Amino acid sequence: MAAYGSLNHRPDVVVLDPFAGSGATLVEAAKMGCRVIGYDINPVATLVQRQALAEWDHEALAEAFKDVESRVKAEIDSLHMTKDGEHVLYYLWVSTVACPLCPGGAPPIELFSRYIFAQHAYPKRYPAAQATCPQCHAVVAVDLSADTRFTCHDCRWSGSFDGPVAGATMTCSAGHRTKIIDALGGQPPRQRMYAKLVLTLDGGRRYDPIGEFDEQLYSRAEQLLTENADKIVMPCGRLDSGYNTRQALSWGYREWRQFFNARQLYSLGLLGAAVRDLPISPEREALAALFSGVLEFNNLF
Ligand SMILES: [Zn+2]
Ligand SMILES: [Zn+2]
């Protein structure tokens, strides 16, 4: 390993990695000038390896990106904005489930373990945080170093930071304690939108509650999805049982499509279709790989 990190050029050496994974060995060997051969049973792994080792035409890449952007940006942005025209970076949703011991028609339980939804990674040093009011979903500023309870400035609800969920169980307002999985009865939970993160016009960030405009915008996304589902790229297929899917299956998720809400399905579907419709090229494959990464951070989980 004396050669590691040196600038030796070793075209006489062939490195074979039959379980190449994300390709770290191949890439490091290629940097030293070796010829490399990699295999992996996972097609996503071999895709990533090709991405890591390809000699990219940066101009062609930038052009393909711009092409996709010009086709979808305006429409995706129009589904992620405030009524004043600011961009919304994220909508926050909470899972909900009905208490099986309460009479039908009782409001579902929102599965908050705490009503604090945004806080600094070091809350001791930076105690300013945001809570959602369980009664009216106002966004309430709280100080974690001083408060253990909070009062809503809108509806005057007052209570502790703790929500109805503790570990795997939930407690409804009538005091019934149930295991969440049992209450789900094999169906995935429903979702309720309760706040949003806004990119302000001067580049700052602000958490806002959900208003009528946001609800209507979401309904529009639902409608667009219904009208266009056959034109855009949609996740298909059912979940197979495996190490990474077991938890989702136990929560009642059966199809990949259920991992996304309507706005995500429509926005990602547009984006996926724009990548799909590029001419077949290495750039198209690169953008498909990037699209795959985007899915990891834009889903219900
Ligand atoms: Zn109950
Ligand atoms: Zn309130």
Side-chain angles (χ1 to χ4, degrees), residues 180-182 184-189 237-259 301:
I180 298 169
I181 294 247
D182 296 343
L184 286 169
Q187 293 294 318
R238 294 170 67 82
L239 276 69
D240 286 327
S241 177
Y243 183 77
N244 289 316
T245 50
R246 205 164 295 147
Q247 194 176 14
L249 284 165
S250 73
W251 274 65
Y253 293 90
R254 294 287 174 267
E255 297 180 13
W256 292 109
R257 195 176 162 145
Q258 294 172 312
F259 277 42
F301 303 96

Side-chain angles (χ1 to χ4, degrees), residues 99 102 172 176:
C99 171
C102 275
C172 78
H176 303 129

Side-chain angles (χ1 to χ4, degrees), residues 133 136 152 155:
C133 168
C136 75
C152 173
C155 72

Side-chain angles (χ1 to χ4, degrees), residues 132-140 150-157:
T132 182
C133 168
Q135 191 160 273
C136 75
H137 289 307
V139 172
V140 185
F150 67 109
T151 300
C152 173
H153 50 77
D154 264 5
C155 72
R156 310 313 297 169
W157 177 93

Side-chain angles (χ1 to χ4, degrees), residues 21 42-53 285-286 288-290 292:
N42 181 343
V44 177
T46 55
L47 170 77
V48 171
Q49 291 156 25
R50 280 200 301 281
Q51 301 295 312
L53 287 160
E285 189 179 79
L290 182 61
S292 172

